Amino acid sequence: MSKKKRHQAQPAANASALPVNLRRSAVSLAVAAAMSGAMVAPQGALAQEAEGDDNEVIEEIISYGKFRRSLVDAIDTKRTSSTIVEAISAEDIGKLPDSSIAESLSRLPGLAGERRNGRTSGISVRGFKEDYTAVTMNGRELLGIGDNRGVEYDLYPSEIIGGVVVYKTPDATMTHQGIGGIVDLRTLRPLDAAPHLVVNANYEQNDLDSANPEFDDNGHRLALSYSDVFADDTVGLALAFATTESPSQETQFRGWNYNTTGTIDQFGAQVNEGPGVTLTGDERVLEGHDSFVRSASLERDTFSGVLQFAPNDDVTVTLDALYIDFVEDKAFRGVEEAHAWGPPSMTVLAVENNFVTQGAFDGFHSVVRNDLEEKVADLTTFGLNVEWNINEDWRLTFDAATSESEKRVTNIESYSGTGRSGVPGRPLTYRTWTMAPGGAVYSAHPTDSSPDLTDPSLITLSGPQPWGGGMAPLADQICPSEAACTDSQGNVLSYNNAQDGFVNEPIFDEELTTAKVTLDRPLDFGIVTGVQFGVYYSDRSKTKVNNGFYLTAPSFPNAEPIPDEYLMGVTDLGFLGIDGMLAYDSISLYQSGYYTAWDASELQTDRLGDTYTIDEELLTGFAKVEFDTQWGDVPVNGNFGLQIVSVDQQGSGFNAYNGPDLFVIGDPITDGDDYTDVLPSVNVNFEVAPDHMVRVAASKTVSRPRMDDMKPNNRINFNFNYGNVISGDPESGPWSANAGNARLKPLEANQLDLAYEWYFAEDGFVSAAWFYKDLTNWHRDAQFIADFSDAYIPGYHQAEDPDNPGTFVTPATFEGIVFAKDDGLEGFVRGYELQGNIPLGMFAAPLEGLGVIASAAFYDGELDGGSRVPGLSDETFQSTVYYERGGFQARVSWTKRSKFQTEFPGLSLALETTVDQGAELIDAQIGYDFGLGGFDKLDGLYVSLQAQNLTDEDTLQTNSDSREILKYQTFGANYLLNVNYKFR
């Protein structure tokens, strides 16, 4: 029988890419022969005939390109794992298959990406958002800079990641868990890698021109990676630096709400019937919009270092450090306009199926919005890991780490227009509008003209709408006399006309300290082959200070032109059918001290009511037993184990309520709980035939509660209505509150998994999986009775008896309803996952190097009462067609995700629930490896061009009626030119 050998054109630089000696089973060979007739070597391979026994093992040394090499390594990780996993492998440092970790993850079966501001940042695993998925780095719990626990993946540059493993089923040693799964990011270890010096450079270009004058539509990335060993291979050092400046552009229509024409006619504008239109009052119509063009620039600098010391074969000490400096600037420029309030009347011009599709404004004051945002964050992590082989049997591993992240978001709303609210005679805007698939599109009114919103002599720094009602407690400070609030034209204004902007400026600080001690040893005790046990400690603290400020221009009560030094030019709003608007630098105005800033925490209970600290300590004992046996002719292996988790959690914050002068009173409050969880797990793998694996797993998994749900804060309300005050029933009395719950237990699920995997080639496999997650505890909206006597202010919390004027009565009860989160909701998620990696060269020799990767996931699930599981899409699909030959490499990837529930920052940056309609994305990449192409003098050079979002896929969020568009975004395609050079 002949023996064919395939030789690499150039040895790879890391251990995983060294020539492979692959022993194929008879079954695999038979299948391959049936499909292709014979295994054909790649171009340039040497075929040698040798005589020998017919049963001689075939040995192959296979040459792979970079993308295909990464597939082989990822498949090997999946195949050899004792749990159900998916994997991504970088062929070399800085060479993940995609330009970001999130994009690579979104291509894995059972995972789905969520675009935010045009980038894939969030990841759902098996239908659960990142808040319910654990993220680790080298097995160590990881911090992010999000509002909750979820990690924002675009914080971590792909250049420092060597691979990712997603654990869909856990084992007992995985002490940081999530109901969705565990995503483990893996970085380089110098003693395990070949020495190298790599330079990676990218140029990035956005297809959508920047509509904001101070932002570019191009950016860059530069990364340096160095690794080497010293002192007779006992010391290893790896250093990496990556800097990124990445642009993004967006057009966004954002609808406020939809209501009936009859309701609007009662509380807002008069609703008129246009020609041929008859209204019943039940027609749904858009109330208004604030739409804009957004430009952003993400700047990120990352430093990482790893120092390893292995003085002998028994001891390895690893020190690592990571520092990330993250700045993202955004400009949201557009107009805010009312359909349902403000204009004297609205005329309905067309109705289809009880939905208003066309209408006209009969004059209103448009608000010109120059909203800017600056997000500044940094993350620092230090870790120590010691592995000690105590003797031939026992090994001890000690791991300790400390991490800290800080984030400040400055988000300014700056209002301007054709004059200050309350001043008569200001120029009015007239428009018609038509509902389109992307929201409302505007055009000129047939009978009236509109002011030029780009004219700096017409647009002034003053709020065109009377939005200052929240500043009522400041009335005496804003208007100490009538003269102080009389403008130059003799108009008498009030505090209600004094709001010219608002700043949300939340600050987040988070600290995490962890330590883990593990003992393990092999065993030969019946079917038991090994045991591992240990203890894990985690101390986590997160603080949010929810700052906010009302802004008043210094010229109040007069209107003031925008200072010349802050004018930026004109912003194009053509996507709305509206001519441009004046652009100015509002954040620099604010930071210069130009505005008078009024502390919103003194005026709004939602500031102190959302300022909190969450502290939690976890102590986990764990044990895992590994086994290996044979059931008849079927090899069986796996593990079973147990975690016992002791939790001590505490939240501190404020009970916030208004006092007699309307200013906010904040009383400190602390609450918490302690409890113990028991988490069993079992993973069993059956090799039912050579290269055919059946996996069965069962476990109880948990996700820690959301941080914002755990705050103990109460926002206390008092209803001064006489009927409520005299009621002794807490449900109809004057007291109520909105609160968090510092006693929340983890979200819990009992899960069962079944998977079948067939590995028919080193770079080919197919699999099918089924899972069921019984959600035994989810957090629900609940209400309970509480005592508010501590918030009672005599002489203030009372009501006048309407039958006895001048007589005031005190509350009949000091108890009332608190609306909060609570444990006890149940539900389920179940699904099927299909995937395959098919190297088409197995079918025909001319197809060598061509392959297809495809997967599909079908999910079903809900919470009791019919509510959605956040992040759950009914269907997700991914496919990639790739081709590699010599040094040439190309691929096209397609992903599709059905609608799902998510969140977006709404009023005051508070997270609001919405439904994302899903997306269908097409990306492509073409590259050339000069070393594999035979260019010896250019060995080490790799050049690629990547295109993201080729079809300019939109993002759509709606109400349950898909015609009621809440948000419609387009981002344009993005192109990246990459040059990677590895010094040999």
Side-chain angles (χ1 to χ4, degrees), residues 507-830:
I507 298 173
F508 297 85
D509 289 289
E510 191 166 9
E511 296 179 358
L512 174 65
T513 300
T514 62
K516 188 174 184 177
V517 178
T518 305
L519 278 169
D520 65 88
R521 64 160 295 168
L523 287 174
D524 186 9
F525 186 73
I527 68 171
V528 176
T529 58
V531 63
Q532 190 171 1
F533 57 89
V535 63
Y536 171 73
Y537 172 77
S538 171
D539 184 357
R540 186 168 188 159
S541 178
K542 183 160 189 168
T543 296
K544 177 182 181 181
V545 179
N546 193 9
N547 295 319
F549 303 93
Y550 289 85
L551 302 180
T552 302
S555 60
F556 177 81
N558 296 302
E560 180 176 329
I562 301 161
D564 290 342
E565 62 267 33
Y566 296 103
L567 289 173
M568 305 296 296
V570 173
T571 290
D572 183 6
L573 298 179
F575 82 100
L576 285 171
I578 297 174
D579 292 336
M581 53 163 279
L582 195 65
Y584 57 89
D585 186 357
S586 60
I587 203 165
S588 293
L589 273 170
Y590 165 67
Q591 292 174 340
S592 72
Y594 174 85
Y595 287 103
T596 301
W598 311 93
D599 189 350
S601 67
E602 298 180 354
L603 311 174
Q604 301 174 189
T605 59
D606 62 350
R607 296 292 155 176
L608 287 180
D610 194 33
T611 294
Y612 57 85
T613 297
I614 306 298
D615 295 301
E616 56 184 27
E617 292 185 48
L618 278 67
L619 183 63
T620 304
F622 59 90
K624 181 180 77 170
V625 176
E626 298 173 342
F627 59 88
D628 195 344
T629 186
Q630 193 114 344
W631 288 6
D633 295 331
V634 177
V636 181
N637 66 73
N639 60 74
F640 60 89
L642 188 71
Q643 290 184 13
I644 300 177
V645 186
S646 176
V647 180
D648 186 355
Q649 63 189 43
Q650 179 175 279
S652 57
F654 298 90
N655 285 334
Y657 52 97
N658 294 99
D661 54 4
L662 299 183
F663 282 99
V664 173
I665 297 172
D667 294 335
I669 182 174
T670 299
D671 196 12
D673 200 1
D674 58 83
Y675 49 87
T676 299
D677 274 324
V678 178
L679 308 176
S681 63
V682 59
N683 295 272
V684 186
N685 307 300
F686 304 87
E687 192 172 1
V688 295
D691 302 319
H692 293 257
M693 188 75 69
V694 172
R695 304 181 189 269
V696 180
S699 62
K700 178 182 178 181
T701 58
V702 298
S703 289
R704 298 288 305 146
R706 288 173 53 124
M707 293 288 193
D708 55 357
D709 286 342
M710 291 178 67
K711 61 189 177 188
N713 306 43
N714 285 283
R715 293 176 55 197
I716 300 174
N717 308 301
F718 186 84
N719 189 333
F720 289 90
N721 180 277
Y722 178 77
N724 295 99
V725 172
I726 64 173
S727 173
D729 182 356
E731 295 188 3
S732 59
W735 300 98
S736 65
N738 297 92
N741 186 349
R743 302 185 183 189
L744 286 174
K745 300 293 191 298
L747 300 105
E748 297 180 351
N750 295 322
Q751 67 179 45
L752 178 64
D753 289 77
L754 177 65
Y756 163 73
E757 301 164 1
W758 176 28
Y759 299 89
F760 55 82
E762 190 184 29
D763 56 342
F765 82 100
V766 293
S767 73
W770 171 87
F771 71 90
Y772 184 89
K773 295 178 185 284
D774 179 20
L775 305 179
T776 57
N777 186 47
W778 200 267
H779 298 150
R780 59 180 176 170
D781 294 323
Q783 59 188 55
F784 56 89
I785 302 298
D787 188 340
F788 291 90
S789 56
D790 288 343
Y792 171 64
I793 302 174
Y796 173 63
H797 289 128
Q798 58 185 20
E800 186 175 19
D801 185 347
D803 296 328
N804 297 286
T807 301
F808 291 86
V809 297
T810 58
T813 180
F814 292 99
E815 292 185 335
I817 297 177
V818 177
F819 299 90
K821 292 289 185 179
D822 199 7
D823 296 305
L825 191 61
E826 297 181 349
F828 74 93
V829 173
R830 63 190 171 205

Side-chain angles (χ1 to χ4, degrees), residues 8-10 63-66 884-889 928-935 939-941:
Q8 285 186 304
Q10 177 67 38
S63 174
Y64 292 125
K66 298 185 183 302
E884 294 188 342
R885 195 80 170 191
F888 178 78
Q889 302 165 30
Y928 195 82
D929 188 307
F930 288 85
L932 290 177
F935 296 89
D939 185 24
L941 177 63

Side-chain angles (χ1 to χ4, degrees), residues 116-402:
R116 295 167 187 157
N117 297 325
R119 291 188 180 89
T120 302
S121 176
I123 294 291
S124 293
V125 180
R126 287 188 157 177
F128 293 87
K129 280 175 61 64
E130 58 271 15
D131 287 325
Y132 315 108
T133 300
V135 181
T136 59
M137 182 171 284
N138 301 317
R140 187 183 289 157
E141 186 175 354
L142 194 62
L143 283 185
I145 57 169
D147 290 7
N148 278 290
R149 299 177 188 272
V151 169
E152 295 175 318
Y153 289 92
D154 56 5
L155 179 64
Y156 299 95
S158 60
E159 289 84 356
I160 69 170
I161 304 299
V164 185
V165 178
V166 180
Y167 294 91
K168 293 180 174 178
T169 63
D171 68 38
T173 64
M174 299 174 187
T175 48
H176 183 48
Q177 292 193 8
I179 288 180
I182 303 166
V183 179
D184 185 34
L185 311 178
R186 297 187 173 180
T187 59
L188 178 74
R189 289 294 182 256
L191 290 180
D192 300 326
H196 65 259
L197 175 60
V198 178
V199 179
N200 196 59
N202 279 272
Y203 175 79
E204 185 174 357
Q205 178 72 49
N206 193 267
D207 182 50
L208 201 62
D209 291 337
S210 175
N212 289 291
E214 75 271 41
F215 283 83
D216 295 325
D217 53 11
N218 57 74
H220 67 272
R221 302 207 325 258
L222 176 65
L224 302 174
S225 176
Y226 165 81
S227 180
D228 208 346
V229 293
F230 310 92
D232 296 326
D233 295 345
T234 62
V235 176
L237 177 65
L239 300 172
F241 166 72
T243 183
T244 298
E245 183 177 338
S246 178
S248 67
Q249 312 295 334
E250 173 190 352
T251 64
Q252 181 177 139
F253 171 83
R254 185 164 67 180
W256 293 339
N257 192 26
Y258 294 77
N259 216 321
T260 62
T261 53
T263 302
I264 289 173
D265 201 28
Q266 294 173 21
F267 76 81
Q270 176 183 341
V271 179
N272 301 319
E273 297 175 345
V277 174
T278 301
L279 300 176
T280 65
D282 295 326
E283 297 81 7
R284 301 283 290 177
V285 64
L286 177 69
E287 288 190 9
H289 79 108
D290 55 327
S291 302
F292 53 81
V293 290
R294 177 191 59 82
S295 299
S297 175
L298 182 154
E299 298 180 16
R300 180 188 59 211
D301 293 325
T302 303
F303 302 86
S304 69
V306 180
L307 177 64
Q308 284 190 295
F309 176 52
N312 53 55
D313 291 340
D314 295 326
V315 176
T316 301
V317 179
T318 303
L319 295 168
D320 56 82
L322 175 67
Y323 174 73
I324 301 176
D325 181 60
F326 182 98
V327 177
E328 187 171 25
D329 293 310
K330 302 176 186 176
F332 308 82
R333 291 195 173 99
V335 292
E336 185 166 9
E337 299 174 335
H339 292 205
W341 52 263
S345 65
M346 175 179 68
T347 301
V348 175
L349 300 176
V351 177
E352 294 181 9
N353 297 324
N354 221 40
F355 184 73
V356 177
T357 59
Q358 190 175 28
F361 296 90
D362 295 327
F364 64 98
H365 297 292
S366 182
V367 182
V368 176
R369 297 283 295 267
N370 275 260
D371 298 358
L372 273 69
E373 180 177 292
E374 179 186 69
K375 181 193 295 184
V376 179
D378 61 73
L379 180 143
T380 306
T381 297
F382 296 99
L384 167 67
N385 183 275
V386 179
E387 292 187 5
W388 176 28
N389 294 321
I390 302 172
N391 52 42
E392 292 183 355
D393 294 324
W394 288 99
R395 180 178 63 174
L396 182 145
T397 303
F398 172 76
D399 188 274
T402 180

